[in-house]
Coordinates of all heavy atoms in Angstrom, one line a residue:
M1 N -30.2 -72.8 -51.6 CA -30.7 -74.0 -52.3 C -31.4 -73.4 -53.5 O -31.7 -72.2 -53.5 CB -31.7 -74.6 -51.4 CG -31.1 -75.4 -50.3 SD -32.3 -76.5 -49.5 CE -32.8 -75.5 -48.2
L2 N -31.4 -74.2 -54.5 CA -32.1 -73.8 -55.8 C -33.1 -74.8 -56.2 O -33.1 -75.6 -57.0 CB -30.9 -74.0 -56.8 CG -29.7 -73.2 -56.7 CD1 -28.5 -73.7 -57.7 CD2 -29.9 -71.7 -56.7
P3 N -34.3 -74.6 -55.4 CA -35.5 -75.4 -55.6 C -36.2 -74.9 -56.9 O -36.1 -73.8 -57.3 CB -36.4 -75.3 -54.4 CG -36.1 -74.0 -53.9 CD -34.5 -73.7 -54.2
R4 N -37.0 -75.8 -57.4 CA -38.0 -75.5 -58.5 C -37.2 -74.9 -59.7 O -37.7 -73.9 -60.3 CB -39.1 -74.6 -58.0 CG -40.0 -75.4 -57.1 CD -41.2 -74.5 -56.8 NE -41.3 -74.5 -55.4 CZ -42.1 -73.5 -54.8 NH1 -42.6 -72.6 -55.4 NH2 -42.3 -73.6 -53.6
L5 N -36.1 -75.3 -59.9 CA -35.4 -74.7 -61.1 C -35.5 -75.7 -62.3 O -35.7 -76.9 -62.2 CB -33.9 -74.6 -60.9 CG -33.6 -73.5 -59.8 CD1 -32.1 -73.6 -59.5 CD2 -34.1 -72.2 -60.2
L6 N -35.6 -75.1 -63.5 CA -36.0 -75.8 -64.7 C -34.5 -76.0 -65.5 O -33.8 -74.9 -65.6 CB -36.9 -75.0 -65.4 CG -37.2 -75.4 -66.9 CD1 -38.0 -76.8 -66.9 CD2 -38.1 -74.4 -67.5
L7 N -34.4 -77.2 -65.9 CA -33.3 -77.4 -66.9 C -33.8 -77.2 -68.2 O -34.8 -77.8 -68.6 CB -32.6 -78.7 -66.6 CG -31.9 -78.8 -65.3 CD1 -31.5 -80.3 -65.0 CD2 -30.7 -78.0 -65.1
L8 N -33.1 -76.4 -69.0 CA -33.6 -76.1 -70.3 C -32.5 -76.6 -71.3 O -31.4 -76.2 -71.3 CB -33.9 -74.7 -70.7 CG -34.2 -74.3 -72.0 CD1 -35.5 -74.7 -72.4 CD2 -34.1 -72.6 -72.0
A9 N -32.8 -77.5 -72.1 CA -31.9 -78.1 -73.3 C -32.3 -77.3 -74.5 O -33.4 -77.2 -75.0 CB -32.0 -79.4 -73.4
T10 N -31.2 -76.7 -75.1 CA -31.4 -76.0 -76.3 C -30.5 -76.7 -77.3 O -29.2 -76.7 -77.2 CB -31.0 -74.5 -76.3 OG1 -31.8 -73.9 -75.4 CG2 -31.1 -73.8 -77.7
F11 N -31.0 -77.4 -78.4 CA -30.2 -78.2 -79.3 C -29.7 -77.4 -80.4 O -30.6 -76.5 -81.0 CB -31.0 -79.3 -79.8 CG -31.4 -80.3 -78.6 CD1 -32.6 -80.2 -78.1 CD2 -30.4 -81.2 -78.2 CE1 -32.8 -81.0 -77.0 CE2 -30.7 -82.0 -77.1 CZ -32.1 -81.9 -76.5
S12 N -28.4 -77.4 -80.8 CA -27.9 -76.5 -81.9 C -28.1 -77.1 -83.2 O -27.8 -76.4 -84.2 CB -26.4 -76.3 -81.5 OG -25.8 -77.5 -81.4
S13 N -28.6 -78.2 -83.3 CA -29.1 -78.9 -84.6 C -30.4 -78.3 -84.9 O -31.3 -77.9 -84.2 CB -29.1 -80.3 -84.5 OG -29.7 -80.8 -85.7
I14 N -30.6 -78.3 -86.2 CA -32.0 -77.7 -86.7 C -33.0 -78.9 -86.4 O -34.2 -78.7 -86.1 CB -32.0 -77.5 -88.2 CG1 -31.1 -76.3 -88.5 CG2 -33.3 -77.4 -88.7 CD1 -31.0 -76.0 -89.9
A15 N -32.6 -80.1 -86.4 CA -33.6 -81.2 -85.9 C -34.0 -81.1 -84.5 O -33.3 -80.6 -83.6 CB -32.9 -82.5 -86.1
F16 N -35.2 -81.5 -84.3 CA -35.7 -81.4 -82.8 C -35.8 -82.8 -82.3 O -36.4 -83.7 -83.0 CB -37.1 -80.7 -83.0 CG -37.0 -79.3 -83.2 CD1 -37.4 -78.7 -84.5 CD2 -36.8 -78.4 -82.3 CE1 -37.4 -77.5 -84.8 CE2 -36.7 -77.1 -82.6 CZ -37.0 -76.6 -83.8
A17 N -35.3 -83.0 -81.2 CA -35.5 -84.3 -80.5 C -36.2 -84.0 -79.3 O -36.2 -82.9 -78.7 CB -34.0 -84.8 -80.1
D18 N -36.9 -85.1 -78.8 CA -37.7 -85.0 -77.5 C -36.9 -85.9 -76.5 O -36.9 -87.1 -76.6 CB -39.1 -85.4 -77.8 CG -40.0 -85.2 -76.6 OD1 -39.7 -84.3 -75.9 OD2 -40.9 -86.1 -76.4
I19 N -36.3 -85.1 -75.5 CA -35.6 -85.8 -74.5 C -36.5 -85.9 -73.2 O -37.3 -85.1 -73.1 CB -34.2 -85.3 -74.2 CG1 -34.4 -83.9 -73.6 CG2 -33.3 -85.3 -75.4 CD1 -33.1 -83.3 -72.9
Q20 N -36.2 -86.9 -72.5 CA -36.8 -87.0 -71.1 C -35.9 -87.0 -70.1 O -34.9 -87.9 -70.0 CB -37.6 -88.3 -71.1 CG -38.3 -88.6 -69.7 CD -39.0 -89.9 -69.7 OE1 -39.2 -90.6 -70.7 NE2 -39.4 -90.3 -68.5
F21 N -35.8 -85.9 -69.2 CA -34.9 -85.8 -68.1 C -35.3 -86.9 -67.0 O -36.4 -87.1 -66.7 CB -34.9 -84.4 -67.5 CG -34.2 -83.5 -68.2 CD1 -34.9 -82.6 -69.1 CD2 -32.8 -83.3 -68.2 CE1 -34.2 -81.6 -69.9 CE2 -32.1 -82.4 -69.1 CZ -32.9 -81.5 -69.9
T22 N -34.3 -87.7 -66.6 CA -34.4 -88.7 -65.7 C -33.8 -88.2 -64.3 O -34.1 -88.9 -63.2 CB -33.7 -90.0 -66.0 OG1 -32.2 -89.7 -66.4 CG2 -34.4 -90.5 -67.4
S23 N -33.0 -87.2 -64.2 CA -32.4 -86.6 -63.0 C -31.9 -85.3 -63.3 O -31.4 -85.0 -64.3 CB -31.2 -87.5 -62.6 OG -30.6 -87.0 -61.4
P24 N -32.1 -84.3 -62.3 CA -32.8 -84.5 -61.0 C -34.3 -84.6 -61.2 O -34.8 -84.2 -62.3 CB -32.5 -83.2 -60.3 CG -32.1 -82.2 -61.4 CD -31.6 -82.9 -62.6
A25 N -35.0 -85.1 -60.3 CA -36.4 -85.4 -60.4 C -37.1 -84.1 -60.4 O -36.6 -83.2 -59.8 CB -36.8 -86.3 -59.2
A26 N -38.3 -84.1 -60.9 CA -39.1 -82.8 -60.9 C -39.4 -82.4 -59.4 O -39.6 -83.3 -58.6 CB -40.5 -83.1 -61.6
G27 N -39.2 -81.1 -59.1 CA -39.4 -80.7 -57.8 C -38.3 -80.9 -56.9 O -38.3 -80.6 -55.7
A28 N -37.1 -81.4 -57.3 CA -35.9 -81.7 -56.5 C -35.4 -80.4 -56.0 O -35.5 -79.4 -56.7 CB -34.9 -82.4 -57.2
T29 N -34.8 -80.4 -54.8 CA -34.2 -79.3 -54.3 C -32.7 -79.6 -54.4 O -32.1 -80.5 -54.1 CB -34.4 -79.2 -52.8 OG1 -35.8 -79.1 -52.6 CG2 -33.7 -78.1 -52.2
L30 N -32.0 -78.5 -55.1 CA -30.6 -78.6 -55.4 C -29.8 -77.6 -54.5 O -30.4 -76.6 -54.2 CB -30.3 -78.1 -56.8 CG -31.2 -78.9 -57.8 CD1 -31.0 -78.3 -59.3 CD2 -30.9 -80.4 -57.9
Q31 N -28.6 -78.0 -54.0 CA -27.9 -77.3 -53.0 C -26.9 -76.3 -53.8 O -26.1 -76.9 -54.6 CB -27.1 -78.2 -52.1 CG -26.4 -77.5 -51.0 CD -25.9 -78.3 -49.9 OE1 -26.1 -79.6 -50.0 NE2 -25.3 -77.9 -48.9
A32 N -26.9 -75.1 -53.5 CA -26.0 -74.2 -54.1 C -24.6 -74.5 -53.8 O -24.2 -74.9 -52.8 CB -26.3 -72.8 -53.7
G33 N -23.7 -74.3 -54.9 CA -22.3 -74.6 -54.8 C -22.0 -76.0 -54.8 O -20.7 -76.4 -54.8
K34 N -22.9 -76.9 -54.9 CA -22.7 -78.4 -55.2 C -22.9 -78.6 -56.7 O -23.7 -78.0 -57.3 CB -23.5 -79.2 -54.3 CG -23.5 -78.9 -52.8 CD -22.2 -79.6 -52.4 CE -22.2 -79.5 -50.8 NZ -21.0 -80.1 -50.2
P35 N -22.3 -79.7 -57.2 CA -22.4 -80.1 -58.6 C -23.9 -80.4 -58.8 O -24.6 -81.1 -58.1 CB -21.6 -81.3 -58.8 CG -20.6 -81.3 -57.7 CD -21.2 -80.7 -56.6
I36 N -24.3 -79.9 -60.1 CA -25.7 -80.3 -60.6 C -25.4 -81.3 -61.7 O -24.7 -80.9 -62.6 CB -26.4 -79.0 -61.0 CG1 -26.7 -78.2 -59.9 CG2 -27.7 -79.5 -61.7 CD1 -27.3 -76.8 -60.2
T37 N -26.1 -82.4 -61.8 CA -25.9 -83.3 -62.8 C -27.3 -83.6 -63.3 O -28.2 -84.0 -62.6 CB -25.3 -84.7 -62.3 OG1 -24.0 -84.4 -61.8 CG2 -25.2 -85.7 -63.4
A38 N -27.5 -83.4 -64.6 CA -28.6 -83.7 -65.4 C -28.3 -84.9 -66.2 O -27.4 -85.0 -66.8 CB -28.9 -82.5 -66.3
K39 N -29.4 -85.8 -66.1 CA -29.3 -87.0 -67.0 C -30.6 -87.0 -67.8 O -31.7 -86.6 -67.3 CB -29.2 -88.3 -66.0 CG -28.0 -88.3 -65.2 CD -27.8 -89.5 -64.4 CE -26.6 -89.5 -63.5 NZ -26.5 -90.6 -62.6
W40 N -30.5 -87.6 -68.9 CA -31.7 -87.7 -69.7 C -31.6 -89.0 -70.7 O -30.7 -89.7 -70.6 CB -31.7 -86.6 -70.7 CG -30.5 -86.4 -71.6 CD1 -30.5 -86.9 -72.8 CD2 -29.5 -85.6 -71.3 NE1 -29.2 -86.5 -73.3 CE2 -28.6 -85.7 -72.3 CE3 -29.0 -84.9 -70.2 CZ2 -27.4 -85.1 -72.5 CZ3 -27.7 -84.2 -70.2 CH2 -27.0 -84.3 -71.4
K41 N -32.8 -89.3 -71.3 CA -32.8 -90.4 -72.3 C -33.7 -89.9 -73.4 O -34.4 -88.9 -73.3 CB -33.4 -91.7 -71.5 CG -34.9 -91.6 -71.1 CD -35.3 -92.8 -70.5 CE -36.8 -92.7 -70.1 NZ -37.2 -94.0 -69.6
D42 N -33.6 -90.6 -74.4 CA -34.4 -90.4 -75.6 C -35.8 -90.8 -75.3 O -36.0 -91.9 -74.9 CB -33.7 -91.3 -76.8 CG -34.4 -90.8 -78.2 OD1 -35.6 -90.3 -78.2 OD2 -33.5 -90.9 -79.2
S43 N -36.8 -89.9 -75.6 CA -38.2 -90.3 -75.2 C -38.7 -91.2 -76.3 O -39.8 -91.7 -76.2 CB -39.0 -88.9 -75.2 OG -39.2 -88.4 -76.4
G44 N -38.1 -91.3 -77.4 CA -38.8 -92.0 -78.6 C -39.5 -91.2 -79.5 O -40.0 -91.7 -80.6
D45 N -39.8 -89.9 -79.2 CA -40.5 -89.1 -80.1 C -39.4 -88.2 -80.7 O -38.5 -87.7 -80.3 CB -41.5 -88.2 -79.3 CG -42.7 -89.0 -78.7 OD1 -42.9 -90.0 -79.3 OD2 -43.1 -88.6 -77.6
G46 N -39.8 -87.7 -82.0 CA -38.9 -86.9 -82.7 C -37.5 -87.6 -83.2 O -37.5 -88.7 -83.3
T47 N -36.6 -86.7 -83.5 CA -35.3 -87.1 -84.1 C -34.6 -87.9 -82.9 O -34.6 -87.6 -81.7 CB -34.4 -86.1 -84.6 OG1 -35.2 -85.2 -85.5 CG2 -33.1 -86.5 -85.0
A48 N -34.0 -89.0 -83.3 CA -33.3 -89.9 -82.3 C -32.0 -89.2 -81.8 O -31.3 -88.5 -82.6 CB -32.8 -91.2 -82.9
L49 N -31.7 -89.2 -80.5 CA -30.5 -88.6 -80.0 C -29.2 -89.0 -80.7 O -28.3 -88.3 -80.9 CB -30.4 -88.7 -78.5 CG -31.5 -88.3 -77.6 CD1 -31.2 -88.5 -76.2 CD2 -31.7 -86.8 -77.9
T50 N -29.3 -90.3 -81.2 CA -28.1 -90.8 -81.9 C -27.8 -90.1 -83.2 O -26.8 -90.1 -83.7 CB -28.2 -92.2 -82.3 OG1 -29.4 -92.5 -82.8 CG2 -28.2 -93.1 -80.8
D51 N -28.8 -89.4 -83.6 CA -28.7 -88.6 -85.0 C -28.1 -87.2 -84.8 O -28.0 -86.4 -85.7 CB -30.1 -88.6 -85.7 CG -30.5 -89.9 -86.3 OD1 -29.5 -90.8 -86.5 OD2 -31.7 -90.2 -86.4
L52 N -28.1 -86.8 -83.5 CA -27.7 -85.4 -83.1 C -26.3 -85.4 -82.6 O -25.8 -86.3 -82.2 CB -28.6 -84.9 -82.1 CG -30.1 -84.9 -82.4 CD1 -30.9 -84.3 -81.2 CD2 -30.4 -84.0 -83.6
K53 N -25.7 -84.2 -82.8 CA -24.3 -84.0 -82.4 C -24.2 -83.2 -81.2 O -23.3 -83.6 -80.4 CB -23.5 -83.4 -83.7 CG -23.5 -84.3 -84.9 CD -22.7 -83.8 -85.9 CE -22.8 -84.7 -87.2 NZ -22.0 -84.4 -88.2
T54 N -24.7 -81.9 -81.2 CA -24.4 -80.9 -80.0 C -25.6 -80.6 -79.4 O -26.7 -80.6 -80.0 CB -23.6 -79.9 -80.6 OG1 -24.3 -79.1 -81.5 CG2 -22.2 -80.3 -81.2
Y55 N -25.4 -80.0 -78.2 CA -26.5 -79.4 -77.4 C -26.0 -78.4 -76.5 O -24.7 -78.4 -76.2 CB -27.3 -80.5 -76.6 CG -26.5 -81.1 -75.5 CD1 -26.4 -80.6 -74.2 CD2 -25.7 -82.3 -75.7 CE1 -25.6 -81.1 -73.3 CE2 -24.9 -82.8 -74.7 CZ -24.9 -82.2 -73.5 OH -24.1 -82.8 -72.5
T56 N -26.7 -77.5 -75.9 CA -26.5 -76.6 -74.9 C -27.5 -76.8 -73.9 O -28.7 -76.8 -74.1 CB -26.5 -75.2 -75.5 OG1 -25.6 -75.0 -76.6 CG2 -26.1 -74.1 -74.5
L57 N -27.1 -76.8 -72.6 CA -27.9 -77.1 -71.4 C -27.7 -75.9 -70.5 O -26.6 -75.6 -70.0 CB -27.5 -78.4 -70.8 CG -28.5 -78.8 -69.7 CD1 -29.9 -79.1 -70.1 CD2 -27.8 -80.2 -69.0
F58 N -28.8 -75.2 -70.0 CA -28.7 -74.3 -69.1 C -29.6 -74.6 -67.7 O -30.5 -75.3 -67.9 CB -29.3 -73.0 -69.6 CG -28.5 -72.2 -70.6 CD1 -28.7 -72.6 -72.1 CD2 -27.6 -71.4 -70.4 CE1 -27.9 -72.1 -73.0 CE2 -26.9 -70.8 -71.2 CZ -27.0 -71.1 -72.6
L59 N -29.2 -74.0 -66.7 CA -30.0 -73.9 -65.4 C -30.8 -72.9 -65.6 O -30.4 -71.7 -65.8 CB -29.1 -73.9 -64.2 CG -29.8 -73.8 -62.9 CD1 -30.6 -75.2 -62.5 CD2 -28.9 -73.5 -61.8
C60 N -32.1 -73.0 -65.4 CA -33.1 -71.9 -65.6 C -34.1 -71.8 -64.4 O -34.2 -72.8 -63.7 CB -33.9 -72.1 -66.9 SG -33.0 -72.2 -68.5
A61 N -34.6 -70.6 -64.3 CA -35.7 -70.4 -63.3 C -37.0 -69.9 -64.2 O -36.7 -69.4 -65.2 CB -35.3 -69.4 -62.3
G62 N -38.1 -70.1 -63.5 CA -39.2 -69.5 -64.3 C -40.4 -70.5 -64.2 O -40.3 -71.6 -63.7
G63 N -41.4 -70.2 -65.1 CA -42.5 -71.1 -65.2 C -42.4 -72.0 -66.5 O -41.3 -72.1 -67.0
N64 N -43.5 -72.5 -67.0 CA -43.5 -73.3 -68.2 C -43.7 -72.6 -69.3 O -43.5 -73.2 -70.5 CB -44.7 -74.3 -68.1 CG -44.5 -75.3 -66.9 OD1 -43.4 -75.7 -66.6 ND2 -45.6 -75.8 -66.3
D65 N -44.0 -71.3 -69.3 CA -44.1 -70.5 -70.5 C -42.7 -69.9 -70.9 O -42.0 -69.4 -70.0 CB -45.0 -69.4 -70.4 CG -46.5 -69.8 -70.0 OD1 -46.9 -70.8 -70.6 OD2 -47.1 -69.2 -69.2
A66 N -42.4 -69.9 -72.2 CA -41.2 -69.4 -72.6 C -40.8 -68.0 -72.2 O -39.7 -67.6 -71.9 CB -41.1 -69.5 -74.2
E67 N -41.9 -67.2 -72.2 CA -41.6 -65.8 -71.7 C -41.2 -65.7 -70.3 O -40.6 -64.7 -69.9 CB -42.9 -64.9 -71.9 CG -43.6 -64.9 -73.3 CD -44.4 -66.2 -73.5 OE1 -45.2 -66.6 -72.8 OE2 -44.2 -66.7 -74.6
S68 N -41.5 -66.6 -69.5 CA -41.2 -66.6 -68.0 C -39.8 -67.2 -67.6 O -39.3 -67.2 -66.5 CB -42.3 -67.1 -67.2 OG -42.4 -68.6 -67.3
I69 N -39.2 -67.9 -68.6 CA -37.9 -68.6 -68.3 C -36.7 -67.6 -68.3 O -36.5 -66.8 -69.2 CB -37.7 -69.8 -69.2 CG1 -38.9 -70.8 -69.2 CG2 -36.4 -70.4 -69.1 CD1 -38.9 -71.9 -70.2
L70 N -35.9 -67.7 -67.3 CA -34.7 -67.0 -67.2 C -33.6 -67.9 -67.1 O -33.5 -68.7 -66.2 CB -34.7 -66.2 -66.0 CG -33.6 -65.3 -65.5 CD1 -33.2 -64.2 -66.6 CD2 -33.6 -64.7 -64.2
Q71 N -32.6 -67.8 -68.0 CA -31.4 -68.6 -68.0 C -30.5 -68.1 -66.9 O -30.1 -67.0 -67.0 CB -30.7 -68.6 -69.3 CG -31.3 -69.3 -70.5 CD -30.7 -69.3 -71.8 OE1 -29.6 -68.7 -71.9 NE2 -31.2 -69.8 -72.8
L72 N -30.2 -69.0 -66.0 CA -29.2 -68.6 -64.8 C -27.8 -68.8 -65.0 O -26.9 -68.0 -64.7 CB -29.7 -69.2 -63.6 CG -31.2 -69.0 -63.1 CD1 -31.4 -69.8 -61.8 CD2 -31.3 -67.4 -62.9
A73 N -27.5 -70.1 -65.6 CA -26.1 -70.4 -65.8 C -26.0 -71.6 -66.7 O -27.0 -72.4 -66.7 CB -25.5 -70.9 -64.4
P74 N -25.0 -71.7 -67.5 CA -24.8 -72.9 -68.4 C -24.4 -74.1 -67.5 O -23.6 -73.9 -66.6 CB -23.7 -72.5 -69.3 CG -22.9 -71.4 -68.6 CD -23.9 -70.7 -67.7
I75 N -25.0 -75.1 -68.0 CA -24.4 -76.4 -67.3 C -23.5 -77.1 -68.3 O -22.4 -77.6 -67.9 CB -25.8 -77.5 -67.1 CG1 -26.7 -76.9 -66.0 CG2 -25.2 -78.9 -66.7 CD1 -26.2 -76.6 -64.7
N76 N -23.7 -77.0 -69.7 CA -22.8 -77.5 -70.6 C -23.1 -76.6 -71.8 O -24.1 -76.8 -72.5 CB -22.9 -78.9 -70.9 CG -21.8 -79.5 -71.7 OD1 -21.2 -78.7 -72.4 ND2 -21.4 -80.8 -71.6
A77 N -22.2 -75.7 -72.2 CA -22.4 -74.8 -73.3 C -22.1 -75.4 -74.7 O -22.3 -75.0 -75.7 CB -21.6 -73.5 -73.1
N78 N -21.2 -76.5 -74.6 CA -20.8 -77.2 -75.8 C -20.8 -78.7 -75.8 O -19.9 -79.3 -76.0 CB -19.4 -76.7 -76.2 CG -19.2 -75.3 -76.3 OD1 -19.8 -74.8 -77.4 ND2 -18.4 -74.7 -75.6
G79 N -22.0 -79.1 -75.3 CA -22.3 -80.6 -75.1 C -22.3 -81.4 -76.5 O -22.6 -80.9 -77.5
Q80 N -21.7 -82.6 -76.3 CA -21.6 -83.5 -77.4 C -22.5 -84.7 -77.1 O -22.2 -85.4 -76.1 CB -20.1 -83.9 -77.6 CG -19.2 -82.9 -78.0 CD -19.4 -82.2 -79.3 OE1 -19.8 -82.8 -80.2 NE2 -19.5 -80.8 -79.4
F81 N -23.4 -85.1 -77.9 CA -24.2 -86.3 -77.6 C -23.4 -87.5 -77.7 O -23.7 -88.4 -77.0 CB -25.4 -86.4 -78.6 CG -26.5 -85.5 -78.2 CD1 -26.7 -84.3 -79.1 CD2 -27.5 -85.8 -77.2 CE1 -27.8 -83.6 -78.7 CE2 -28.5 -84.9 -77.0 CZ -28.7 -83.8 -77.7
S82 N -22.3 -87.6 -78.3 CA -21.5 -88.8 -78.4 C -20.8 -89.0 -77.0 O -20.4 -90.1 -76.9 CB -20.4 -88.5 -79.5 OG -19.6 -87.4 -79.1
T83 N -20.8 -88.1 -76.1 CA -20.1 -88.4 -74.9 C -21.1 -88.9 -73.8 O -20.6 -89.2 -72.6 CB -19.4 -87.2 -74.2 OG1 -20.4 -86.1 -74.0 CG2 -18.4 -86.6 -75.3
G84 N -22.3 -89.1 -74.1 CA -23.2 -89.6 -73.2 C -24.4 -88.8 -72.9 O -24.6 -87.7 -73.5
N85 N -25.3 -89.3 -72.0 CA -26.6 -88.6 -71.7 C -26.6 -88.1 -70.5 O -27.5 -88.1 -69.6 CB -27.7 -89.6 -71.8 CG -27.9 -90.1 -73.2 OD1 -27.3 -89.6 -74.3 ND2 -28.8 -91.0 -73.5
E86 N -25.5 -87.3 -70.1 CA -25.6 -86.5 -68.8 C -24.5 -85.3 -68.9 O -23.7 -85.4 -69.7 CB -25.3 -87.4 -67.5 CG -23.8 -87.8 -67.4 CD -23.5 -88.7 -66.2 OE1 -24.2 -89.7 -65.9 OE2 -23.0 -88.2 -65.2
A87 N -24.8 -84.4 -68.1 CA -23.9 -83.1 -68.0 C -24.0 -82.6 -66.6 O -25.0 -82.8 -65.8 CB -24.5 -82.0 -69.0
S88 N -22.9 -82.1 -66.2 CA -22.7 -81.7 -64.8 C -21.9 -80.4 -64.7 O -21.0 -80.2 -65.5 CB -22.0 -82.9 -64.0 OG -21.9 -82.5 -62.6
A89 N -22.3 -79.6 -63.7 CA -21.6 -78.4 -63.5 C -21.9 -77.8 -62.1 O -22.8 -78.2 -61.4 CB -22.0 -77.2 -64.5
T90 N -21.0 -77.1 -61.4 CA -21.2 -76.5 -60.2 C -21.7 -75.1 -60.4 O -21.0 -74.3 -61.2 CB -20.0 -76.5 -59.4 OG1 -19.5 -77.9 -59.2 CG2 -20.2 -75.8 -58.0
V91 N -22.7 -74.7 -59.9 CA -23.3 -73.4 -60.1 C -23.1 -72.5 -58.7 O -23.4 -73.1 -57.6 CB -24.8 -73.4 -60.4 CG1 -25.5 -72.0 -60.5 CG2 -25.0 -74.3 -61.6
A92 N -22.6 -71.4 -58.8 CA -22.3 -70.7 -57.6 C -23.6 -70.2 -56.9 O -24.7 -70.1 -57.6 CB -21.6 -69.3 -58.0
A93 N -23.5 -70.2 -55.6 CA -24.7 -69.8 -54.8 C -25.2 -68.5 -55.1 O -26.5 -68.3 -55.0 CB -24.3 -69.9 -53.3
A94 N -24.5 -67.5 -55.5 CA -25.0 -66.1 -55.8 C -26.0 -66.2 -57.1 O -26.6 -65.2 -57.3 CB -23.8 -65.1 -56.1
V95 N -25.9 -67.2 -57.8 CA -26.6 -67.3 -59.2 C -28.2 -67.1 -58.8 O -28.9 -66.6 -59.6 CB -26.4 -68.5 -60.0 CG1 -27.4 -68.7 -61.1 CG2 -25.0 -68.3 -60.5
G96 N -28.6 -67.7 -57.7 CA -30.0 -67.8 -57.4 C -30.5 -66.5 -56.7 O -31.7 -66.4 -56.6
G97 N -29.7 -65.6 -56.4 CA -30.1 -64.4 -55.8 C -30.3 -64.5 -54.4 O -30.0 -65.5 -53.7
P98 N -30.5 -63.3 -53.7 CA -30.5 -63.3 -52.1 C -31.9 -63.8 -51.5 O -32.0 -63.9 -50.3 CB -30.4 -61.8 -51.8 CG -30.9 -61.2 -53.0 CD -30.7 -62.1 -54.2
D99 N -32.9 -63.9 -52.3 CA -34.2 -64.3 -51.8 C -34.2 -65.8 -51.2 O -33.4 -66.6 -51.7 CB -35.3 -64.2 -52.8 CG -35.4 -62.8 -53.4 OD1 -35.2 -61.8 -52.5 OD2 -35.6 -62.6 -54.6
K100 N -35.1 -66.1 -50.2 CA -35.3 -67.3 -49.8 C -35.7 -68.3 -50.9 O -36.6 -67.9 -51.7 CB -36.3 -67.4 -48.6 CG -36.5 -68.8 -48.1 CD -37.4 -68.7 -46.9 CE -37.7 -70.0 -46.4 NZ -38.7 -70.1 -45.3
N101 N -35.1 -69.5 -51.0 CA -35.3 -70.4 -52.0 C -35.1 -69.9 -53.4 O -35.7 -70.4 -54.4 CB -36.8 -70.9 -51.8 CG -37.1 -71.7 -50.7 OD1 -36.1 -72.4 -50.2 ND2 -38.3 -71.6 -50.2
A102 N -34.2 -69.1 -53.6 CA -33.9 -68.5 -54.9 C -32.9 -69.4 -55.7 O -32.1 -70.0 -55.0 CB -33.3 -67.1 -54.8

């Protein structure tokens, strides 16, 4: 299982948008080897998502500080905002490591 993992969106545009993830819920437990689907909406702050073109979304582990975040696997390395507000990928069980709840 992949609990307490953080999804990190890195936008390839210079503009900054503020998205709000709607799924998975904060604190959700994700099952390794099963598809992970991230859904989001425009928070209304910053640049509108309709003004952006591409994004990169990673499955990450760590805390809230940038120094503690570790990118584990790409969910969508070449996302297009024009295709909608969700991205999905299957992440191998080995990505989380051998530790319990990794």
